[in-house]
Amino acid sequence: MALPLPPGLTHSEVAFLAEMEMVTVVPRQRLDSIELLSGKTPPLRPPRREQLPLWLALLLKKQRRANIVPPPWLHPTSLQDIIHKETKEDPAAFSPPPPPASSYRADVGRPGMVRRNDNGLDMASPPFRNSCTADALPGYLPYHWLEVAEALLAHAGDDMGAPAGEVRSLLRDLVEVRAAKMRSSTSALEGFGGGLMSLRGVGAMELAETRGFVLGVVDGVRRIGAAAEANRREEEEEGGFRNDREEEESDDDMGI
Amino acid sequence: MDIDDILREVDPAHHAVAREKQDLQDLTRAWIAERSAPELLHWPSGGLFERINANIKRQIEKVEEMTGDMDPRTNFALIVIQTELERYKYLVRSYLRARIAKIDRHTLHYLSTDELRSRLSEMELAYATRHQALLHNHYLSSFLSSFPPALQNLNDTAGNISMIDPPDLESAVFIRLLRDTLVEGRGVDADGAMDGKESDIVILRWSDAKPLVEEGSAELV
């Protein structure tokens, strides 16, 4: 009954999450609004574009009831732009995630999706961010980029607007460039003494892939260095009077 | 407050949609957090699960009603409803199972103080107490009773070693920042701090991440 999995989402769980991303569809048939647990679906009236969660869009696509509009970042020019960013502009870091303002702007038509707290902050996070709809910004990879791109290529390759082969090969380049970065970031873990490491722009699947290794290294380093860390903390706490005591201690040592 | 908030307030339909979407997001976030955190987190307040369970029940009833209908159009709607229902149920089930796994592993720890007990839902508390009582009785009848009385406790702290095994709160986690905030982390060689930006993904110890997650500045990923 209890879940036998270790902490951290697995690949299939990440893929499940990615299916909650909203995408834009162009319906080919009328379909009345359906009352779902996550709210009513918009009534589909061809050819008006609507936004639906990916799992539902794929279901409609398989039954040829709708076409999926690929998100702008999946367009070959946008992908080339991202690859350029990843390799030339900043070869060390991942390309930046989509700015929050854009996802909010894309959301104005459907106020239900975004929660803003009292400070006016946008608290929605992927997959509830509309970063895979037709209104998303090109040139930025959203958190679930790999899963969404794979799903769209596998099931809606003919809707891509560009040859699916081209998109696929660009995606493969991107996967490789970023996998190399992920690997080099693990070498930064060797000296994981600072207590923090930022991986801004990383994707969900990439994280799921390296999670076990990265967390294992960080926890291992912590265990090995536990004694040293405790010493350091003690020293810091004692602060000022530490110098005198050290001298005393060394005197004692000599006496022995 | 901007124009959207005003519009939302005057439009009851929008509010209803927002609530359902919000529940889904809250459930998803709770699930991800529970799957990633090394310790048991607080049972969600605000009646989230009561609402979700009631909705699921209602949806199942609707499916039962619609199954008799053979009209092809409602048939497709039925497929969609059932697919969504299964997805929702999977989330709820996985969430509860992840919690039970943690409760099973550290039962005595979560029962040891009131603060920790308050994290469990009523059902979970009943489960943990009963399960622990059964286990203790079983141990007693099979071997503990032949030990000297002083050694029969399962929660002894003699010799500075506690028999209650707590989860490792220092294990590393990944978090995503939901707003710009200062992130501090303790490390082996030095303590680090950085000005975190919204959407940053950071690796740090759970004990350092916990305050950020609890105040809503970050979520586990």
mmCIF file of all heavy atoms in Angstrom, chain A residues 22 34-41 53 55 113 128, chain B residues 16-25 55 59 84 88:
data_model
loop_
_atom_site.group_PDB
_atom_site.id
_atom_site.type_symbol
_atom_site.label_atom_id
_atom_site.label_comp_id
_atom_site.label_asym_id
_atom_site.label_seq_id
_atom_site.Cartn_x
_atom_site.Cartn_y
_atom_site.Cartn_z
ATOM 1 N N MET A 22 -1.025 23.357 -20.579
ATOM 2 C CA MET A 22 -2.071 23.768 -21.511
ATOM 3 C C MET A 22 -1.461 23.946 -22.905
ATOM 4 O O MET A 22 -0.351 24.461 -23.040
ATOM 5 C CB MET A 22 -2.677 25.098 -21.063
ATOM 6 C CG MET A 22 -3.376 25.041 -19.729
ATOM 7 S SD MET A 22 -4.654 23.802 -19.637
ATOM 8 C CE MET A 22 -6.109 24.762 -19.947
ATOM 9 N N ILE A 34 -17.448 20.164 -21.507
ATOM 10 C CA ILE A 34 -17.537 18.984 -20.640
ATOM 11 C C ILE A 34 -17.160 19.410 -19.234
ATOM 12 O O ILE A 34 -16.163 20.111 -19.038
ATOM 13 C CB ILE A 34 -16.568 17.884 -21.121
ATOM 14 C CG1 ILE A 34 -16.848 17.539 -22.581
ATOM 15 C CG2 ILE A 34 -16.695 16.641 -20.255
ATOM 16 C CD1 ILE A 34 -15.844 16.583 -23.172
ATOM 17 N N GLU A 35 -17.959 18.984 -18.265
ATOM 18 C CA GLU A 35 -17.651 19.362 -16.891
ATOM 19 C C GLU A 35 -16.648 18.401 -16.294
ATOM 20 O O GLU A 35 -16.959 17.254 -15.998
ATOM 21 C CB GLU A 35 -18.930 19.362 -16.052
ATOM 22 C CG GLU A 35 -19.549 20.733 -15.981
ATOM 23 C CD GLU A 35 -20.725 20.758 -15.048
ATOM 24 O OE1 GLU A 35 -20.504 20.549 -13.842
ATOM 25 O OE2 GLU A 35 -21.847 20.963 -15.531
ATOM 26 N N LEU A 36 -15.439 18.894 -16.125
ATOM 27 C CA LEU A 36 -14.394 18.051 -15.562
ATOM 28 C C LEU A 36 -14.103 18.482 -14.129
ATOM 29 O O LEU A 36 -14.550 19.528 -13.676
ATOM 30 C CB LEU A 36 -13.119 18.184 -16.399
ATOM 31 C CG LEU A 36 -13.207 17.654 -17.832
ATOM 32 C CD1 LEU A 36 -11.891 17.857 -18.546
ATOM 33 C CD2 LEU A 36 -13.592 16.195 -17.852
ATOM 34 N N LEU A 37 -13.323 17.660 -13.442
ATOM 35 C CA LEU A 37 -12.973 17.984 -12.058
ATOM 36 C C LEU A 37 -12.127 19.247 -11.979
ATOM 37 O O LEU A 37 -12.151 19.967 -11.003
ATOM 38 C CB LEU A 37 -12.207 16.815 -11.438
ATOM 39 C CG LEU A 37 -13.044 15.581 -11.154
ATOM 40 C CD1 LEU A 37 -12.151 14.399 -10.854
ATOM 41 C CD2 LEU A 37 -13.967 15.846 -9.992
ATOM 42 N N SER A 38 -11.368 19.496 -13.044
ATOM 43 C CA SER A 38 -10.515 20.684 -13.031
ATOM 44 C C SER A 38 -11.215 21.867 -13.691
ATOM 45 O O SER A 38 -10.571 22.793 -14.157
ATOM 46 C CB SER A 38 -9.202 20.379 -13.740
ATOM 47 O OG SER A 38 -9.452 19.773 -14.977
ATOM 48 N N GLY A 39 -12.526 21.817 -13.781
ATOM 49 C CA GLY A 39 -13.275 22.917 -14.379
ATOM 50 C C GLY A 39 -13.874 22.522 -15.711
ATOM 51 O O GLY A 39 -13.566 21.468 -16.249
ATOM 52 N N LYS A 40 -14.748 23.386 -16.227
ATOM 53 C CA LYS A 40 -15.380 23.081 -17.513
ATOM 54 C C LYS A 40 -14.401 23.291 -18.653
ATOM 55 O O LYS A 40 -13.629 24.250 -18.637
ATOM 56 C CB LYS A 40 -16.561 24.024 -17.722
ATOM 57 C CG LYS A 40 -17.820 23.569 -17.055
ATOM 58 C CD LYS A 40 -18.944 24.502 -17.451
ATOM 59 C CE LYS A 40 -20.194 24.190 -16.656
ATOM 60 N NZ LYS A 40 -21.230 25.190 -16.864
ATOM 61 N N THR A 41 -14.449 22.420 -19.653
ATOM 62 C CA THR A 41 -13.657 22.683 -20.850
ATOM 63 C C THR A 41 -14.398 23.718 -21.676
ATOM 64 O O THR A 41 -15.634 23.772 -21.625
ATOM 65 C CB THR A 41 -13.471 21.416 -21.698
ATOM 66 O OG1 THR A 41 -14.768 20.970 -22.112
ATOM 67 C CG2 THR A 41 -12.798 20.310 -20.919
ATOM 68 N N PRO A 53 -5.783 21.116 -21.729
ATOM 69 C CA PRO A 53 -4.601 20.413 -21.235
ATOM 70 C C PRO A 53 -4.084 19.420 -22.277
ATOM 71 O O PRO A 53 -4.859 18.908 -23.093
ATOM 72 C CB PRO A 53 -5.094 19.704 -19.973
ATOM 73 C CG PRO A 53 -6.566 19.762 -20.006
ATOM 74 C CD PRO A 53 -6.959 20.891 -20.896
ATOM 75 N N TRP A 55 -3.116 16.326 -22.261
ATOM 76 C CA TRP A 55 -3.670 14.963 -22.350
ATOM 77 C C TRP A 55 -4.959 14.953 -23.149
ATOM 78 O O TRP A 55 -5.220 14.054 -23.948
ATOM 79 C CB TRP A 55 -3.878 14.353 -20.964
ATOM 80 C CG TRP A 55 -4.855 15.065 -20.076
ATOM 81 C CD1 TRP A 55 -4.560 16.028 -19.168
ATOM 82 C CD2 TRP A 55 -6.267 14.865 -20.015
ATOM 83 N NE1 TRP A 55 -5.704 16.451 -18.552
ATOM 84 C CE2 TRP A 55 -6.766 15.768 -19.042
ATOM 85 C CE3 TRP A 55 -7.164 14.024 -20.676
ATOM 86 C CZ2 TRP A 55 -8.128 15.845 -18.730
ATOM 87 C CZ3 TRP A 55 -8.500 14.103 -20.359
ATOM 88 C CH2 TRP A 55 -8.972 15.002 -19.401
ATOM 89 N N MET A 113 -6.580 30.775 -14.284
ATOM 90 C CA MET A 113 -5.357 29.981 -14.212
ATOM 91 C C MET A 113 -4.304 30.538 -13.276
ATOM 92 O O MET A 113 -3.448 29.822 -12.816
ATOM 93 C CB MET A 113 -4.741 29.870 -15.608
ATOM 94 C CG MET A 113 -5.381 28.831 -16.471
ATOM 95 S SD MET A 113 -5.461 27.259 -15.664
ATOM 96 C CE MET A 113 -3.744 26.777 -15.758
ATOM 97 N N PHE A 128 1.225 24.801 -14.674
ATOM 98 C CA PHE A 128 0.024 25.636 -14.714
ATOM 99 C C PHE A 128 0.330 27.034 -15.217
ATOM 100 O O PHE A 128 -0.211 28.008 -14.746
ATOM 101 C CB PHE A 128 -0.604 25.710 -13.324
ATOM 102 C CG PHE A 128 -1.012 24.370 -12.820
ATOM 103 C CD1 PHE A 128 -0.208 23.665 -11.960
ATOM 104 C CD2 PHE A 128 -2.187 23.802 -13.252
ATOM 105 C CE1 PHE A 128 -0.582 22.404 -11.520
ATOM 106 C CE2 PHE A 128 -2.572 22.547 -12.810
ATOM 107 C CZ PHE A 128 -1.763 21.841 -11.941
ATOM 108 N N ALA B 16 -15.831 30.122 -9.821
ATOM 109 C CA ALA B 16 -15.948 28.671 -9.709
ATOM 110 C C ALA B 16 -14.816 27.987 -10.468
ATOM 111 O O ALA B 16 -14.205 27.038 -9.987
ATOM 112 C CB ALA B 16 -17.294 28.214 -10.240
ATOM 113 N N VAL B 17 -14.532 28.478 -11.665
ATOM 114 C CA VAL B 17 -13.462 27.886 -12.449
ATOM 115 C C VAL B 17 -12.147 28.030 -11.700
ATOM 116 O O VAL B 17 -11.376 27.094 -11.570
ATOM 117 C CB VAL B 17 -13.365 28.571 -13.829
ATOM 118 C CG1 VAL B 17 -12.107 28.128 -14.542
ATOM 119 C CG2 VAL B 17 -14.590 28.227 -14.652
ATOM 120 N N ALA B 18 -11.932 29.220 -11.146
ATOM 121 C CA ALA B 18 -10.681 29.466 -10.442
ATOM 122 C C ALA B 18 -10.508 28.477 -9.300
ATOM 123 O O ALA B 18 -9.427 27.965 -9.082
ATOM 124 C CB ALA B 18 -10.652 30.893 -9.919
ATOM 125 N N ARG B 19 -11.596 28.208 -8.581
ATOM 126 C CA ARG B 19 -11.515 27.315 -7.439
ATOM 127 C C ARG B 19 -11.077 25.917 -7.856
ATOM 128 O O ARG B 19 -10.211 25.313 -7.232
ATOM 129 C CB ARG B 19 -12.894 27.279 -6.772
ATOM 130 C CG ARG B 19 -12.956 26.457 -5.519
ATOM 131 C CD ARG B 19 -11.908 26.946 -4.537
ATOM 132 N NE ARG B 19 -12.107 26.436 -3.215
ATOM 133 C CZ ARG B 19 -12.931 26.971 -2.320
ATOM 134 N NH1 ARG B 19 -13.672 28.006 -2.620
ATOM 135 N NH2 ARG B 19 -13.024 26.458 -1.126
ATOM 136 N N GLU B 20 -11.668 25.419 -8.950
ATOM 137 C CA GLU B 20 -11.323 24.062 -9.365
ATOM 138 C C GLU B 20 -9.882 23.971 -9.862
ATOM 139 O O GLU B 20 -9.159 23.027 -9.559
ATOM 140 C CB GLU B 20 -12.297 23.581 -10.451
ATOM 141 C CG GLU B 20 -13.633 23.172 -9.857
ATOM 142 C CD GLU B 20 -14.800 23.501 -10.750
ATOM 143 O OE1 GLU B 20 -14.589 24.061 -11.842
ATOM 144 O OE2 GLU B 20 -15.945 23.192 -10.368
ATOM 145 N N LYS B 21 -9.482 24.974 -10.644
ATOM 146 C CA LYS B 21 -8.096 25.002 -11.126
ATOM 147 C C LYS B 21 -7.147 25.107 -9.942
ATOM 148 O O LYS B 21 -6.099 24.470 -9.902
ATOM 149 C CB LYS B 21 -7.870 26.218 -12.037
ATOM 150 C CG LYS B 21 -8.663 26.176 -13.311
ATOM 151 C CD LYS B 21 -7.907 25.433 -14.382
ATOM 152 C CE LYS B 21 -8.694 25.512 -15.678
ATOM 153 N NZ LYS B 21 -8.377 24.428 -16.582
ATOM 154 N N GLN B 22 -7.548 25.951 -8.998
ATOM 155 C CA GLN B 22 -6.712 26.180 -7.833
ATOM 156 C C GLN B 22 -6.528 24.889 -7.046
ATOM 157 O O GLN B 22 -5.428 24.552 -6.623
ATOM 158 C CB GLN B 22 -7.367 27.256 -6.947
ATOM 159 C CG GLN B 22 -6.494 27.714 -5.832
ATOM 160 C CD GLN B 22 -5.219 28.349 -6.356
ATOM 161 O OE1 GLN B 22 -5.268 29.295 -7.121
ATOM 162 N NE2 GLN B 22 -4.085 27.807 -5.984
ATOM 163 N N ASP B 23 -7.631 24.151 -6.886
ATOM 164 C CA ASP B 23 -7.547 22.884 -6.163
ATOM 165 C C ASP B 23 -6.595 21.927 -6.864
ATOM 166 O O ASP B 23 -5.806 21.247 -6.220
ATOM 167 C CB ASP B 23 -8.934 22.242 -6.048
ATOM 168 C CG ASP B 23 -9.753 22.885 -4.945
ATOM 169 O OD1 ASP B 23 -9.188 23.736 -4.237
ATOM 170 O OD2 ASP B 23 -10.935 22.541 -4.801
ATOM 171 N N LEU B 24 -6.688 21.888 -8.191
ATOM 172 C CA LEU B 24 -5.813 20.977 -8.934
ATOM 173 C C LEU B 24 -4.358 21.382 -8.742
ATOM 174 O O LEU B 24 -3.495 20.546 -8.503
ATOM 175 C CB LEU B 24 -6.182 20.981 -10.423
ATOM 176 C CG LEU B 24 -5.298 20.087 -11.292
ATOM 177 C CD1 LEU B 24 -5.433 18.635 -10.878
ATOM 178 C CD2 LEU B 24 -5.643 20.232 -12.765
ATOM 179 N N GLN B 25 -4.104 22.690 -8.815
ATOM 180 C CA GLN B 25 -2.730 23.135 -8.630
ATOM 181 C C GLN B 25 -2.243 22.839 -7.210
ATOM 182 O O GLN B 25 -1.118 22.381 -7.018
ATOM 183 C CB GLN B 25 -2.602 24.627 -8.925
ATOM 184 C CG GLN B 25 -1.189 25.110 -8.628
ATOM 185 C CD GLN B 25 -0.882 26.476 -9.182
ATOM 186 O OE1 GLN B 25 -1.595 26.994 -10.012
ATOM 187 N NE2 GLN B 25 0.199 27.059 -8.719
ATOM 188 N N ASN B 55 -15.782 15.956 -4.836
ATOM 189 C CA ASN B 55 -15.861 16.135 -6.286
ATOM 190 C C ASN B 55 -15.676 14.813 -7.021
ATOM 191 O O ASN B 55 -16.375 14.524 -7.997
ATOM 192 C CB ASN B 55 -14.794 17.124 -6.755
ATOM 193 C CG ASN B 55 -15.162 18.541 -6.424
ATOM 194 O OD1 ASN B 55 -16.308 18.819 -6.055
ATOM 195 N ND2 ASN B 55 -14.207 19.438 -6.520
ATOM 196 N N GLN B 59 -18.286 12.978 -9.465
ATOM 197 C CA GLN B 59 -17.930 12.657 -10.842
ATOM 198 C C GLN B 59 -18.170 11.180 -11.125
ATOM 199 O O GLN B 59 -18.641 10.819 -12.198
ATOM 200 C CB GLN B 59 -16.457 13.026 -11.064
ATOM 201 C CG GLN B 59 -16.073 13.200 -12.512
ATOM 202 C CD GLN B 59 -16.521 14.540 -13.078
ATOM 203 O OE1 GLN B 59 -17.410 15.185 -12.535
ATOM 204 N NE2 GLN B 59 -15.925 14.952 -14.164
ATOM 205 N N GLU B 84 -10.007 11.866 -17.190
ATOM 206 C CA GLU B 84 -9.629 12.878 -16.219
ATOM 207 C C GLU B 84 -9.790 12.358 -14.799
ATOM 208 O O GLU B 84 -8.965 12.607 -13.935
ATOM 209 C CB GLU B 84 -10.464 14.136 -16.426
ATOM 210 C CG GLU B 84 -9.756 15.383 -15.921
ATOM 211 C CD GLU B 84 -10.548 16.150 -14.925
ATOM 212 O OE1 GLU B 84 -11.624 15.668 -14.546
ATOM 213 O OE2 GLU B 84 -10.098 17.233 -14.532
ATOM 214 N N TYR B 88 -6.969 12.194 -11.901
ATOM 215 C CA TYR B 88 -7.171 12.818 -10.602
ATOM 216 C C TYR B 88 -6.983 11.806 -9.484
ATOM 217 O O TYR B 88 -6.330 12.068 -8.484
ATOM 218 C CB TYR B 88 -8.587 13.391 -10.562
ATOM 219 C CG TYR B 88 -8.658 14.797 -10.057
ATOM 220 C CD1 TYR B 88 -8.579 15.875 -10.943
ATOM 221 C CD2 TYR B 88 -8.816 15.076 -8.716
ATOM 222 C CE1 TYR B 88 -8.658 17.178 -10.494
ATOM 223 C CE2 TYR B 88 -8.891 16.380 -8.258
ATOM 224 C CZ TYR B 88 -8.813 17.424 -9.143
ATOM 225 O OH TYR B 88 -8.878 18.709 -8.696
#
